[in-house]
Structure formats: structure tokens, C-alpha cells
């Protein structure tokens, strides 16, 4: 009996030593940046309350924080919806044009981003890096992207009634191209 107790105590000692050693090692992956800090740095505008009746039933989280957005409501004014991901090279190339457009069109045409199949941390860091202050929603499942063409980037123009009037597939090359699309399809000249 003494021998069994001694073996049991030895086994418990080994388990405790192993647990202690395991607890002292570095974590397998360091925790990611705090989303609250990233949201503050990105300083995104509040998300809209809706975008288009065509998107009824699609409810997505707001990238900048705040309540989830039911995309099925009508927008406050004509809207340029851009579907993007930080992993998408054409999205990276076109974002300066979108930022410039958002500034030029402020109060006349809203710009809303849809971060698709990407992490919120990546999206927030990207938004901060490129000065994307316009609101963005998070579409983890790519529902919006699939509805309008399946690729990225996609630019969807929505009139003030919430009607989808044009979908531009692929990269927009210039501010002039964006302004031309908005003038042609939304009737707003900047």
C-alpha cells in the first residue's frame, strides 16, 4: 500500500510540475489588438440605419461599433456602397479614390463600406491607415458581395429611395470615374 501511495504521489508531483512548466511558456499566439482601441483610432462615422429594400433581412454589425444595421431600410440620401476587404489588392489601390470621393460628396452622396470575409481588426487597421472615416458594416459571410457579383471590389449605387441603380464590378481607377458614375446613375454632379 505504501508503494502505491508513493507512486501516486510521484504521479501527482509530475503532473503538477508539468502544469507549472506549461503555464510558464509563451502563449501560442499573442492576443490581437483591442477592438475598442482600433475603433477609436479608425474614427469611423456611425453606421446608417438602412441602405436598400433589396437588402431586407440582411442584418450586419457596424465596424465602428454601435447597433447592428438592418440593411433593408432606405438610405438618408443617395449612397455609394463599396464592398471591400483588406486582403484585396484592387481594394487597396482604389481606397484613396473612395476617400477623396467621400470628402467631395459629403452631404450629397453618402459612402458606406462593406468589409467582406475579413477580420474586424484587419478592417479597422486598414480604415485607419487609409483615412476611411465613412461608416462600414461587417459581412463575414459575403452575403452582400454574393448578391451583387461575387468579387471585390464592387461599387453599388443606391438612389435616395433605396433602389439599386448600378453595380460597378472591379476596381474604380480615379475620382473622375467615381464622379462620372454618380452623375450618370444617381444624377448628382460634384
Amino acid at each position: 500500500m505504501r508503494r502505491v501511495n508513493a507512486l501516486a504521489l510521484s504521479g501527482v508531483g509530475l503532473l503538477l510540475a508539468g502544469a507549472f512548466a506549461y503555464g510558464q511558456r509563451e502563449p501560442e499566439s499573442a492576443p490581437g489588438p483591442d477592438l475598442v482601441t482600433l475603433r477609436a483610432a479608425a474614427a469611423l462615422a456611425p453606421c446608417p440605419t438602412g441602405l436598400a429594400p433589396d437588402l431586407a433581412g440582411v442584418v450586419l454589425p457596424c465596424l465602428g461599433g454601435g447597433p447592428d444595421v438592418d440593411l433593408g431600410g432606405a438610405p438618408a440620401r443617395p449612397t455609394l456602397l463599396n464592398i471591400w476587404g483588406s486582403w484585396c489588392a484592387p481594394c487597396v489601390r482604389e481606397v484613396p479614390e473612395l476617400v477623396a470621393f467621400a470628402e467631395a460628396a459629403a452631404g450629397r452622396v453618402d459612402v458606406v463600406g462593406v468589409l467582406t470575409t475579413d477580420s474586424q481588426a484587419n478592417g479597422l487597421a486598414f480604415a485607419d491607415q487609409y483615412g476611411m472615416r465613412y461608416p462600414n458594416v461587417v459581412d463575414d459571410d459575403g452575403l452582400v458581395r454574393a448578391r451583387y457579383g461575387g468579387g471585390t471590389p464592387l461599387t453599388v449605387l443606391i438612389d435616395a429611395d433605396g433602389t439599386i441603380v448600378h453595380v460597378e464590378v472591379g476596381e474604380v481607377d480615379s475620382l473622375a470615374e467615381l464622379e462620372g458614375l454618380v452623375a450618370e446613375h444617381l444624377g448628382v454632379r460634384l
Side-chain angles (χ1 to χ4, degrees):
M1 186 72 160
R2 285 179 134 182
R3 184 176 175 127
V4 172
N5 285 343
L7 286 173
L9 279 174
S10 294
V12 168
L14 286 173
L15 284 173
L16 287 173
F20 178 79
Y22 181 81
Q24 296 301 310
R25 68 184 184 90
E26 291 293 318
E28 289 179 20
S29 62
D34 178 18
L35 286 179
V36 172
T37 303
L38 288 171
R39 284 184 179 124
L44 298 177
C47 283
T49 56
L51 291 172
D54 185 50
L55 293 168
V58 178
V59 179
L60 300 175
C62 184
L63 181 61
D68 289 353
V69 179
D70 181 347
L71 301 183
R77 67 184 121 260
T79 301
L80 182 153
L81 183 70
N82 181 258
I83 302 165
W84 65 282
S86 67
W87 45 265
C88 161
C91 301
V92 173
R93 288 190 301 265
E94 80 173 5
V95 75
E97 309 310 328
L98 290 162
V99 169
F101 178 83
E103 291 170 4
R108 300 180 67 203
V109 177
D110 288 339
V111 175
V112 177
V114 177
L115 175 66
T116 189
T117 58
D118 204 341
S119 75
Q120 288 194 36
N122 286 346
L124 289 164
F126 184 94
D128 181 35
Q129 178 181 356
Y130 290 98
M132 294 169 63
R133 301 297 178 238
Y134 48 86
N136 282 265
V137 294
V138 180
D139 186 7
D140 287 331
D141 298 323
L143 299 171
V144 178
R145 181 182 72 184
R147 184 166 292 183
Y148 297 114
T152 51
L154 286 171
T155 301
V156 180
L157 300 178
I158 306 166
D159 71 14
D161 295 328
T163 302
I164 307 298
V165 295
H166 180 72
V167 177
E168 187 71 20
V169 177
E171 179 180 352
V172 175
D173 295 321
S174 68
L175 177 59
E177 182 181 358
L178 280 172
E179 290 174 342
L181 288 168
V182 166
E184 178 182 351
H185 299 287
L186 294 175
V188 179
R189 298 196 189 288
L190 304 178

PDB file of all heavy atoms in Angstrom, residues 44-77:
ATOM      1  N   LEU A  44     -14.453  55.884 -37.351  1.00  0.00           N
ATOM      2  CA  LEU A  44     -15.455  55.750 -38.411  1.00  0.00           C
ATOM      3  C   LEU A  44     -16.745  56.468 -38.016  1.00  0.00           C
ATOM      4  O   LEU A  44     -17.123  56.498 -36.849  1.00  0.00           O
ATOM      5  CB  LEU A  44     -15.760  54.283 -38.671  1.00  0.00           C
ATOM      6  CG  LEU A  44     -14.586  53.426 -39.153  1.00  0.00           C
ATOM      7  CD1 LEU A  44     -15.018  51.972 -39.297  1.00  0.00           C
ATOM      8  CD2 LEU A  44     -14.033  53.947 -40.453  1.00  0.00           C
ATOM      9  N   ALA A  45     -17.413  57.014 -39.013  1.00  0.00           N
ATOM     10  CA  ALA A  45     -18.719  57.642 -38.793  1.00  0.00           C
ATOM     11  C   ALA A  45     -19.722  56.570 -38.375  1.00  0.00           C
ATOM     12  O   ALA A  45     -19.547  55.388 -38.694  1.00  0.00           O
ATOM     13  CB  ALA A  45     -19.183  58.339 -40.071  1.00  0.00           C
ATOM     14  N   PRO A  46     -20.785  56.956 -37.685  1.00  0.00           N
ATOM     15  CA  PRO A  46     -21.817  55.979 -37.297  1.00  0.00           C
ATOM     16  C   PRO A  46     -22.438  55.313 -38.527  1.00  0.00           C
ATOM     17  O   PRO A  46     -22.556  55.926 -39.591  1.00  0.00           O
ATOM     18  CB  PRO A  46     -22.859  56.822 -36.559  1.00  0.00           C
ATOM     19  CG  PRO A  46     -22.141  58.061 -36.151  1.00  0.00           C
ATOM     20  CD  PRO A  46     -21.080  58.299 -37.191  1.00  0.00           C
ATOM     21  N   CYS A  47     -22.837  54.080 -38.350  1.00  0.00           N
ATOM     22  CA  CYS A  47     -23.441  53.334 -39.458  1.00  0.00           C
ATOM     23  C   CYS A  47     -24.842  53.848 -39.765  1.00  0.00           C
ATOM     24  O   CYS A  47     -25.528  54.359 -38.879  1.00  0.00           O
ATOM     25  CB  CYS A  47     -23.495  51.850 -39.113  1.00  0.00           C
ATOM     26  SG  CYS A  47     -21.886  51.051 -39.295  1.00  0.00           S
ATOM     27  N   PRO A  48     -25.266  53.692 -41.023  1.00  0.00           N
ATOM     28  CA  PRO A  48     -26.619  54.115 -41.403  1.00  0.00           C
ATOM     29  C   PRO A  48     -27.655  53.173 -40.795  1.00  0.00           C
ATOM     30  O   PRO A  48     -27.327  52.083 -40.340  1.00  0.00           O
ATOM     31  CB  PRO A  48     -26.597  53.997 -42.925  1.00  0.00           C
ATOM     32  CG  PRO A  48     -25.622  52.896 -43.191  1.00  0.00           C
ATOM     33  CD  PRO A  48     -24.550  53.054 -42.131  1.00  0.00           C
ATOM     34  N   THR A  49     -28.891  53.596 -40.839  1.00  0.00           N
ATOM     35  CA  THR A  49     -29.969  52.744 -40.324  1.00  0.00           C
ATOM     36  C   THR A  49     -30.506  51.815 -41.405  1.00  0.00           C
ATOM     37  O   THR A  49     -31.267  50.904 -41.109  1.00  0.00           O
ATOM     38  CB  THR A  49     -31.115  53.587 -39.747  1.00  0.00           C
ATOM     39  OG1 THR A  49     -31.572  54.482 -40.769  1.00  0.00           O
ATOM     40  CG2 THR A  49     -30.633  54.384 -38.544  1.00  0.00           C
ATOM     41  N   GLY A  50     -30.138  52.025 -42.641  1.00  0.00           N
ATOM     42  CA  GLY A  50     -30.577  51.169 -43.741  1.00  0.00           C
ATOM     43  C   GLY A  50     -29.909  51.599 -45.024  1.00  0.00           C
ATOM     44  O   GLY A  50     -29.299  52.669 -45.092  1.00  0.00           O
ATOM     45  N   LEU A  51     -30.044  50.762 -46.065  1.00  0.00           N
ATOM     46  CA  LEU A  51     -29.432  51.081 -47.353  1.00  0.00           C
ATOM     47  C   LEU A  51     -30.359  50.861 -48.536  1.00  0.00           C
ATOM     48  O   LEU A  51     -30.449  51.697 -49.411  1.00  0.00           O
ATOM     49  CB  LEU A  51     -28.157  50.260 -47.559  1.00  0.00           C
ATOM     50  CG  LEU A  51     -26.988  50.621 -46.653  1.00  0.00           C
ATOM     51  CD1 LEU A  51     -25.856  49.625 -46.820  1.00  0.00           C
ATOM     52  CD2 LEU A  51     -26.505  52.023 -46.965  1.00  0.00           C
ATOM     53  N   ALA A  52     -31.021  49.712 -48.580  1.00  0.00           N
ATOM     54  CA  ALA A  52     -31.845  49.405 -49.742  1.00  0.00           C
ATOM     55  C   ALA A  52     -32.843  48.304 -49.404  1.00  0.00           C
ATOM     56  O   ALA A  52     -32.460  47.294 -48.819  1.00  0.00           O
ATOM     57  CB  ALA A  52     -30.968  48.948 -50.910  1.00  0.00           C
ATOM     58  N   PRO A  53     -34.114  48.482 -49.791  1.00  0.00           N
ATOM     59  CA  PRO A  53     -35.096  47.425 -49.564  1.00  0.00           C
ATOM     60  C   PRO A  53     -34.671  46.085 -50.167  1.00  0.00           C
ATOM     61  O   PRO A  53     -35.038  45.028 -49.667  1.00  0.00           O
ATOM     62  CB  PRO A  53     -36.360  47.968 -50.225  1.00  0.00           C
ATOM     63  CG  PRO A  53     -36.207  49.450 -50.124  1.00  0.00           C
ATOM     64  CD  PRO A  53     -34.730  49.697 -50.331  1.00  0.00           C
ATOM     65  N   ASP A  54     -33.859  46.125 -51.222  1.00  0.00           N
ATOM     66  CA  ASP A  54     -33.333  44.912 -51.843  1.00  0.00           C
ATOM     67  C   ASP A  54     -32.531  44.070 -50.847  1.00  0.00           C
ATOM     68  O   ASP A  54     -32.367  42.874 -51.032  1.00  0.00           O
ATOM     69  CB  ASP A  54     -32.460  45.293 -53.048  1.00  0.00           C
ATOM     70  CG  ASP A  54     -31.966  44.088 -53.819  1.00  0.00           C
ATOM     71  OD1 ASP A  54     -32.788  43.216 -54.157  1.00  0.00           O
ATOM     72  OD2 ASP A  54     -30.749  44.020 -54.083  1.00  0.00           O
ATOM     73  N   LEU A  55     -32.039  44.699 -49.794  1.00  0.00           N
ATOM     74  CA  LEU A  55     -31.234  44.021 -48.785  1.00  0.00           C
ATOM     75  C   LEU A  55     -32.027  43.705 -47.515  1.00  0.00           C
ATOM     76  O   LEU A  55     -31.453  43.466 -46.455  1.00  0.00           O
ATOM     77  CB  LEU A  55     -30.004  44.875 -48.445  1.00  0.00           C
ATOM     78  CG  LEU A  55     -28.997  45.028 -49.584  1.00  0.00           C
ATOM     79  CD1 LEU A  55     -27.979  46.116 -49.259  1.00  0.00           C
ATOM     80  CD2 LEU A  55     -28.305  43.711 -49.879  1.00  0.00           C
ATOM     81  N   ALA A  56     -33.354  43.703 -47.614  1.00  0.00           N
ATOM     82  CA  ALA A  56     -34.198  43.410 -46.450  1.00  0.00           C
ATOM     83  C   ALA A  56     -33.817  42.064 -45.855  1.00  0.00           C
ATOM     84  O   ALA A  56     -33.574  41.095 -46.572  1.00  0.00           O
ATOM     85  CB  ALA A  56     -35.673  43.413 -46.850  1.00  0.00           C
ATOM     86  N   GLY A  57     -33.730  42.039 -44.544  1.00  0.00           N
ATOM     87  CA  GLY A  57     -33.393  40.816 -43.827  1.00  0.00           C
ATOM     88  C   GLY A  57     -31.907  40.604 -43.619  1.00  0.00           C
ATOM     89  O   GLY A  57     -31.500  39.707 -42.894  1.00  0.00           O
ATOM     90  N   VAL A  58     -31.074  41.412 -44.264  1.00  0.00           N
ATOM     91  CA  VAL A  58     -29.629  41.321 -44.054  1.00  0.00           C
ATOM     92  C   VAL A  58     -29.280  42.267 -42.910  1.00  0.00           C
ATOM     93  O   VAL A  58     -29.416  43.486 -43.043  1.00  0.00           O
ATOM     94  CB  VAL A  58     -28.833  41.684 -45.329  1.00  0.00           C
ATOM     95  CG1 VAL A  58     -27.335  41.628 -45.059  1.00  0.00           C
ATOM     96  CG2 VAL A  58     -29.221  40.769 -46.482  1.00  0.00           C
ATOM     97  N   VAL A  59     -28.873  41.704 -41.793  1.00  0.00           N
ATOM     98  CA  VAL A  59     -28.513  42.487 -40.609  1.00  0.00           C
ATOM     99  C   VAL A  59     -27.033  42.233 -40.332  1.00  0.00           C
ATOM    100  O   VAL A  59     -26.613  41.082 -40.161  1.00  0.00           O
ATOM    101  CB  VAL A  59     -29.366  42.083 -39.385  1.00  0.00           C
ATOM    102  CG1 VAL A  59     -28.956  42.878 -38.161  1.00  0.00           C
ATOM    103  CG2 VAL A  59     -30.854  42.279 -39.688  1.00  0.00           C
ATOM    104  N   LEU A  60     -26.248  43.312 -40.332  1.00  0.00           N
ATOM    105  CA  LEU A  60     -24.803  43.194 -40.172  1.00  0.00           C
ATOM    106  C   LEU A  60     -24.309  44.097 -39.049  1.00  0.00           C
ATOM    107  O   LEU A  60     -24.867  45.171 -38.823  1.00  0.00           O
ATOM    108  CB  LEU A  60     -24.098  43.575 -41.479  1.00  0.00           C
ATOM    109  CG  LEU A  60     -24.436  42.735 -42.708  1.00  0.00           C
ATOM    110  CD1 LEU A  60     -23.750  43.300 -43.941  1.00  0.00           C
ATOM    111  CD2 LEU A  60     -24.050  41.280 -42.496  1.00  0.00           C
ATOM    112  N   PRO A  61     -23.224  43.689 -38.388  1.00  0.00           N
ATOM    113  CA  PRO A  61     -22.647  44.549 -37.351  1.00  0.00           C
ATOM    114  C   PRO A  61     -21.970  45.770 -37.957  1.00  0.00           C
ATOM    115  O   PRO A  61     -21.456  45.722 -39.079  1.00  0.00           O
ATOM    116  CB  PRO A  61     -21.628  43.655 -36.654  1.00  0.00           C
ATOM    117  CG  PRO A  61     -21.451  42.453 -37.497  1.00  0.00           C
ATOM    118  CD  PRO A  61     -22.573  42.404 -38.486  1.00  0.00           C
ATOM    119  N   CYS A  62     -21.980  46.850 -37.209  1.00  0.00           N
ATOM    120  CA  CYS A  62     -21.286  48.075 -37.605  1.00  0.00           C
ATOM    121  C   CYS A  62     -19.813  47.935 -37.224  1.00  0.00           C
ATOM    122  O   CYS A  62     -19.495  47.630 -36.077  1.00  0.00           O
ATOM    123  CB  CYS A  62     -21.927  49.269 -36.890  1.00  0.00           C
ATOM    124  SG  CYS A  62     -21.229  50.855 -37.376  1.00  0.00           S
ATOM    125  N   LEU A  63     -18.916  48.152 -38.170  1.00  0.00           N
ATOM    126  CA  LEU A  63     -17.483  48.000 -37.920  1.00  0.00           C
ATOM    127  C   LEU A  63     -16.993  48.966 -36.849  1.00  0.00           C
ATOM    128  O   LEU A  63     -16.152  48.613 -36.038  1.00  0.00           O
ATOM    129  CB  LEU A  63     -16.690  48.196 -39.223  1.00  0.00           C
ATOM    130  CG  LEU A  63     -15.171  48.043 -39.123  1.00  0.00           C
ATOM    131  CD1 LEU A  63     -14.786  46.638 -38.669  1.00  0.00           C
ATOM    132  CD2 LEU A  63     -14.525  48.365 -40.462  1.00  0.00           C
ATOM    133  N   GLY A  64     -17.531  50.160 -36.814  1.00  0.00           N
ATOM    134  CA  GLY A  64     -17.089  51.150 -35.842  1.00  0.00           C
ATOM    135  C   GLY A  64     -17.723  50.993 -34.478  1.00  0.00           C
ATOM    136  O   GLY A  64     -17.492  51.797 -33.587  1.00  0.00           O
ATOM    137  N   GLY A  65     -18.520  49.948 -34.282  1.00  0.00           N
ATOM    138  CA  GLY A  65     -19.233  49.757 -33.027  1.00  0.00           C
ATOM    139  C   GLY A  65     -20.636  50.321 -33.148  1.00  0.00           C
ATOM    140  O   GLY A  65     -20.972  50.992 -34.124  1.00  0.00           O
ATOM    141  N   GLY A  66     -21.451  50.062 -32.184  1.00  0.00           N
ATOM    142  CA  GLY A  66     -22.834  50.516 -32.226  1.00  0.00           C
ATOM    143  C   GLY A  66     -23.755  49.395 -32.607  1.00  0.00           C
ATOM    144  O   GLY A  66     -23.339  48.243 -32.777  1.00  0.00           O
ATOM    145  N   PRO A  67     -25.032  49.732 -32.785  1.00  0.00           N
ATOM    146  CA  PRO A  67     -26.017  48.676 -33.058  1.00  0.00           C
ATOM    147  C   PRO A  67     -25.824  48.051 -34.439  1.00  0.00           C
ATOM    148  O   PRO A  67     -25.293  48.674 -35.357  1.00  0.00           O
ATOM    149  CB  PRO A  67     -27.359  49.413 -32.975  1.00  0.00           C
ATOM    150  CG  PRO A  67     -27.043  50.850 -33.154  1.00  0.00           C
ATOM    151  CD  PRO A  67     -25.624  51.057 -32.707  1.00  0.00           C
ATOM    152  N   ASP A  68     -26.277  46.799 -34.555  1.00  0.00           N
ATOM    153  CA  ASP A  68     -26.278  46.132 -35.861  1.00  0.00           C
ATOM    154  C   ASP A  68     -27.191  46.905 -36.807  1.00  0.00           C
ATOM    155  O   ASP A  68     -28.099  47.614 -36.381  1.00  0.00           O
ATOM    156  CB  ASP A  68     -26.779  44.699 -35.727  1.00  0.00           C
ATOM    157  CG  ASP A  68     -25.774  43.796 -35.016  1.00  0.00           C
ATOM    158  OD1 ASP A  68     -24.647  44.244 -34.741  1.00  0.00           O
ATOM    159  OD2 ASP A  68     -26.127  42.639 -34.743  1.00  0.00           O
ATOM    160  N   VAL A  69     -26.942  46.757 -38.095  1.00  0.00           N
ATOM    161  CA  VAL A  69     -27.669  47.510 -39.112  1.00  0.00           C
ATOM    162  C   VAL A  69     -28.521  46.561 -39.949  1.00  0.00           C
ATOM    163  O   VAL A  69     -28.006  45.606 -40.530  1.00  0.00           O
ATOM    164  CB  VAL A  69     -26.681  48.266 -40.038  1.00  0.00           C
ATOM    165  CG1 VAL A  69     -27.420  49.042 -41.112  1.00  0.00           C
ATOM    166  CG2 VAL A  69     -25.773  49.177 -39.233  1.00  0.00           C
ATOM    167  N   ASP A  70     -29.830  46.837 -40.010  1.00  0.00           N
ATOM    168  CA  ASP A  70     -30.719  46.128 -40.933  1.00  0.00           C
ATOM    169  C   ASP A  70     -30.621  46.885 -42.246  1.00  0.00           C
ATOM    170  O   ASP A  70     -31.117  48.005 -42.376  1.00  0.00           O
ATOM    171  CB  ASP A  70     -32.154  46.117 -40.414  1.00  0.00           C
ATOM    172  CG  ASP A  70     -33.105  45.368 -41.342  1.00  0.00           C
ATOM    173  OD1 ASP A  70     -32.718  45.072 -42.497  1.00  0.00           O
ATOM    174  OD2 ASP A  70     -34.231  45.091 -40.915  1.00  0.00           O
ATOM    175  N   LEU A  71     -29.944  46.287 -43.207  1.00  0.00           N
ATOM    176  CA  LEU A  71     -29.672  46.987 -44.465  1.00  0.00           C
ATOM    177  C   LEU A  71     -30.917  47.234 -45.299  1.00  0.00           C
ATOM    178  O   LEU A  71     -30.873  47.953 -46.284  1.00  0.00           O
ATOM    179  CB  LEU A  71     -28.641  46.205 -45.290  1.00  0.00           C
ATOM    180  CG  LEU A  71     -27.278  45.970 -44.626  1.00  0.00           C
ATOM    181  CD1 LEU A  71     -26.352  45.251 -45.584  1.00  0.00           C
ATOM    182  CD2 LEU A  71     -26.652  47.261 -44.154  1.00  0.00           C
ATOM    183  N   GLY A  72     -32.057  46.692 -44.905  1.00  0.00           N
ATOM    184  CA  GLY A  72     -33.279  46.781 -45.695  1.00  0.00           C
ATOM    185  C   GLY A  72     -33.981  48.119 -45.690  1.00  0.00           C
ATOM    186  O   GLY A  72     -34.876  48.338 -46.493  1.00  0.00           O
ATOM    187  N   GLY A  73     -33.618  49.050 -44.843  1.00  0.00           N
ATOM    188  CA  GLY A  73     -34.267  50.366 -44.836  1.00  0.00           C
ATOM    189  C   GLY A  73     -33.722  51.263 -45.929  1.00  0.00           C
ATOM    190  O   GLY A  73     -32.685  50.998 -46.524  1.00  0.00           O
ATOM    191  N   ALA A  74     -34.442  52.329 -46.216  1.00  0.00           N
ATOM    192  CA  ALA A  74     -33.993  53.276 -47.240  1.00  0.00           C
ATOM    193  C   ALA A  74     -32.887  54.172 -46.674  1.00  0.00           C
ATOM    194  O   ALA A  74     -32.882  54.499 -45.489  1.00  0.00           O
ATOM    195  CB  ALA A  74     -35.159  54.139 -47.719  1.00  0.00           C
ATOM    196  N   PRO A  75     -31.953  54.596 -47.518  1.00  0.00           N
ATOM    197  CA  PRO A  75     -30.880  55.479 -47.057  1.00  0.00           C
ATOM    198  C   PRO A  75     -31.395  56.904 -46.845  1.00  0.00           C
ATOM    199  O   PRO A  75     -32.470  57.264 -47.320  1.00  0.00           O
ATOM    200  CB  PRO A  75     -29.870  55.424 -48.195  1.00  0.00           C
ATOM    201  CG  PRO A  75     -30.697  55.161 -49.414  1.00  0.00           C
ATOM    202  CD  PRO A  75     -31.842  54.290 -48.931  1.00  0.00           C
ATOM    203  N   ALA A  76     -30.603  57.714 -46.169  1.00  0.00           N
ATOM    204  CA  ALA A  76     -30.963  59.116 -45.946  1.00  0.00           C
ATOM    205  C   ALA A  76     -30.818  59.933 -47.225  1.00  0.00           C
ATOM    206  O   ALA A  76     -31.506  60.932 -47.416  1.00  0.00           O
ATOM    207  CB  ALA A  76     -30.088  59.708 -44.841  1.00  0.00           C
ATOM    208  N   ARG A  77     -29.938  59.517 -48.108  1.00  0.00           N
ATOM    209  CA  ARG A  77     -29.672  60.221 -49.381  1.00  0.00           C
ATOM    210  C   ARG A  77     -29.029  59.224 -50.340  1.00  0.00           C
ATOM    211  O   ARG A  77     -28.734  58.108 -49.931  1.00  0.00           O
ATOM    212  CB  ARG A  77     -28.807  61.454 -49.141  1.00  0.00           C
ATOM    213  CG  ARG A  77     -27.413  61.194 -48.685  1.00  0.00           C
ATOM    214  CD  ARG A  77     -26.655  62.500 -48.369  1.00  0.00           C
ATOM    215  NE  ARG A  77     -26.213  62.502 -46.999  1.00  0.00           N
ATOM    216  CZ  ARG A  77     -26.811  63.143 -45.993  1.00  0.00           C
ATOM    217  NH1 ARG A  77     -27.870  63.849 -46.182  1.00  0.00           N
ATOM    218  NH2 ARG A  77     -26.330  63.091 -44.780  1.00  0.00           N
TER     219      ARG A  77
END
